[in-house]
Amino acid sequence: MGGAVVDEGPTGVKAPDGGWGWAVLFGCFVITGFSYAFPKAVSVFFKELMREFGIGYSDTAWISSILLAMLYGTGPLCSVCVNRFGCRPVMLVGGLFASLGMVAASFCRSIIQVYLTTGVITGLGLALNFQPSLIMLNRYFSKRRPMANGLAAAGSPVFLCALSPLGQLLQDRYGWRGGFLILGGLLLNCCVCAALMRPLVAVAQPGSGPPRSSRRLLDLSVFRDRGFVLYAVAASVMVLGLFIPPVFVVSYAKDLGVPDTKAAFLLTVLGFIDIFARPAAGFVAGLGKVRPYSVYLFSFSMFFNGLADLAGSTAGDYGGLVVFCIFFGISYGMVGALQFEVLMAIVGTHKFSSAIGLVLLMEAVAVLIGPPSGGKLLDATHVYKYVFILAGAEVLTSSLILLLGNFFCIRKQPKEPQPEVVAADEEKLHKPPADSGVDLREVEHFLKAEPEKNGEVIHTPETSV
């Protein structure tokens, strides 16, 4: 990749931690809600699509899979676009793409066309919104960043609870084509959120030229950071099992003889708990005594999630599954609130745009492997218990990778001096002593008494011509 003038945020600009940052946080909340909830919300239209095109459930499920694959797999492309053009223009284009894909899908005559419109075009549009919104949130918040990440992450369960009933209502009243058309118009709100992403501007110092920044469009130097490598590996392993329980918990309940309505209510319980768990986790992570150990808190949240999966595998009735959904919702919310906060803390502001793109690309592979692997295991054994054990083992493994790797490989690295400390030391070196106590009369006497030592020439008979 060649060098270019990039939008990496002006150096030396302090994060406002408020002010217009709250508008940026609201935009990030909406974008996160659309990005994570939309692939799940479109599933309410699957039965109509099956009837329209004469296909099976597995064919319609590819719509959500392609949406998620585009959201995760286009991470490096989003990083390049943000670093080249800036966050706001990329998000505006992404909002138009997301809306255009759904509007075009309402006129499709085959399922392949739906894949290309809803899956590829809308998925790309959501990806071009999701990643830049997190980058802007990172620039506007520093001290309050954990809390801001938790509040923004809460958009996912909130929108999931809202979009699913809305989609069902639109389908009942206008059919799937009318529903897709209206949802396409709703996605234009992504452009409104993009308009909120006002870039931070550095205040020019007297005598200084315009600020310049040069960085590669995709900074692969993050792979030289052991902390980033550990995080990327742990996050990829985590994603293998993280999304399996929400996919299979309703079917698990039905297999136990629970009625359909009560089984579907389990996801409502999980989502309701998730709404409050994410902001709470962000608030705890932002506490002064906790924030330096946010990596360990993230590792604990993954460990907690894995234990919840293993405990859920022993559920034998509806009450046990409700308890599982409560604890899974708490741990799932903690993971959602902390995953990008920890990445920001590891790589810093200037490398975050490249780091998140590379991490999402690695997670895209895991997203496509995780739930299908659980389905294969279920087809082979017909026992849901083994599916939950598999998910728990994968998430537990990821927590141990991050915990042990950070403890043995990262913790003992020498800390680099902070720029503020370096600047303060240089100022001290150049600052004259406060209590010098020099008498001006002594200086005058010194200059008159020994002029030859101070650069003057003494005219003596030997030196005069």
Side-chain angles (χ1 to χ4, degrees):
M1 295 290 180
V5 177
V6 297
D7 175 34
E8 61 178 354
T11 55
V13 178
K14 184 179 180 181
D17 272 309
W20 191 256
W22 298 117
V24 173
L25 173 59
F26 174 75
C28 192
F29 174 88
V30 174
I31 294 298
T32 303
F34 276 128
S35 300
Y36 277 117
F38 204 81
K40 304 169 186 174
V42 295
S43 63
V44 300
F45 298 97
F46 284 178
K47 287 187 177 180
E48 284 291 324
L49 292 173
M50 292 165 60
R51 188 179 300 111
E52 175 84 13
F53 299 117
I55 54 177
Y57 183 82
S58 60
D59 298 314
T60 57
W62 273 103
I63 299 174
S64 297
S65 298
I66 295 173
L67 273 168
L68 287 173
M70 293 300 294
L71 180 64
Y72 283 90
T74 56
L77 173 63
C78 296
S79 296
V80 171
C81 292
V82 167
N83 289 336
R84 181 64 182 88
F85 302 106
C87 290
R88 181 187 279 177
V90 171
M91 292 181 67
L92 286 170
V93 173
L96 293 175
F97 272 34
S99 176
L100 178 64
M102 292 302 295
V103 172
S106 65
F107 298 97
C108 288
R109 297 299 175 184
S110 69
I111 192 63
I112 300 298
Q113 295 175 351
V114 177
Y115 292 160
L116 294 175
T117 52
T118 301
V120 176
I121 299 177
T122 298
L124 177 61
L126 292 175
L128 292 175
N129 273 272
F130 176 62
Q131 188 171 320
S133 68
L134 290 177
I135 294 171
M136 290 301 297
L137 190 71
N138 181 39
R139 292 176 185 171
Y140 267 88
F141 288 90
S142 179
K143 292 182 180 179
R144 296 176 176 174
R145 192 178 66 204
M147 181 188 68
N149 273 297
L151 291 173
S156 174
V158 170
F159 271 62
L160 182 59
C161 293
L163 286 179
S164 294
L166 176 63
Q168 189 65 52
L169 177 64
L170 293 176
Q171 177 182 273
D172 295 339
R173 183 164 297 186
Y174 303 106
W176 74 269
R177 295 185 184 274
F180 273 30
L181 187 63
I182 294 174
L183 288 177
L186 192 64
L187 284 173
L188 283 175
N189 285 290
C190 293
C191 296
V192 179
C193 296
L196 297 175
M197 303 298 165
R198 186 170 65 192
L200 290 172
V201 180
V203 180
Q205 299 295 331
S208 62
R212 293 182 178 181
S213 60
S214 59
R215 185 166 51 119
R216 296 183 182 276
L217 294 180
L218 186 61
D219 191 356
L220 298 178
S221 66
V222 292
F223 283 107
R224 292 200 293 264
D225 186 337
R226 287 184 290 178
F228 170 78
V229 174
L230 278 172
Y231 175 90
V233 173
S236 300
V237 176
M238 175 191 72
V239 170
L240 284 174
L242 184 64
F243 300 121
I244 290 180
V247 171
F248 291 98
V249 66
V250 175
S251 299
Y252 190 5
K254 293 178 180 179
D255 189 64
L256 294 175
V258 177
D260 291 355
T261 53
K262 292 184 66 176
F265 184 71
L266 290 172
L267 290 180
T268 304
V269 173
L270 193 156
F272 182 78
I273 298 297
D274 192 10
I275 290 174
F276 296 98
R278 296 192 183 217
F283 175 78
V284 172
L287 297 176
K289 294 183 178 180
V290 178
R291 191 171 185 183
Y293 306 99
S294 58
V295 175
Y296 295 106
L297 182 61
F298 182 47
S299 179
F300 168 76
S301 66
M302 291 190 293
F303 191 83
F304 184 17
N305 186 269
L307 286 181
D309 292 343
L310 295 180
S313 67
T314 63
D317 54 16
Y318 183 73
L321 288 179
V322 171
V323 174
F324 160 73
C325 286
I326 292 174
F327 284 99
F328 183 86
I330 295 173
S331 59
Y332 190 74
M334 292 174 64
V335 171
L338 295 173
Q339 57 178 341
F340 296 119
E341 162 61 25
V342 171
L343 180 60
M344 292 175 187
I346 290 174
V347 301
T349 301
H350 299 297
K351 293 185 178 182
F352 180 70
S353 60
S354 295
I356 186 175
L358 295 168
V359 167
L360 289 177
L361 177 61
M362 296 176 66
E363 290 183 350
V365 179
V367 165
L368 293 176
I369 294 176
S373 65
K376 290 289 185 181
L377 180 62
L378 183 62
D379 291 338
T381 63
H382 301 285
V383 179
Y384 283 91
K385 175 180 179 180
Y386 298 145
V387 176
F388 280 69
I389 292 176
L390 172 66
E394 290 168 341
V395 179
L396 283 175
T397 301
S398 67
S399 70
L400 294 177
I401 291 173
L402 187 62
L403 175 66
L404 298 178
N406 186 77
F407 186 81
F408 290 108
C409 301
I410 308 300
R411 187 175 61 92
K412 297 180 181 180
Q413 287 190 123
K415 294 184 178 180
E416 296 182 0
Q418 299 294 328
E420 295 83 357
V421 177
V422 174
D425 292 341
E426 291 180 354
E427 185 179 354
K428 290 180 181 179
L429 290 174
H430 291 88
K431 187 176 181 180
D435 300 327
S436 57
V438 178
D439 192 343
L440 293 179
R441 288 178 297 179
E442 294 180 4
V443 175
E444 184 179 0
H445 175 73
F446 171 76
L447 293 175
K448 289 181 179 180
E450 301 182 4
E452 71 281 358
K453 294 182 180 179
N454 295 281
E456 298 182 13
V457 179
I458 303 175
H459 296 285
T460 63
E462 290 81 5
T463 59
S464 300
V465 178

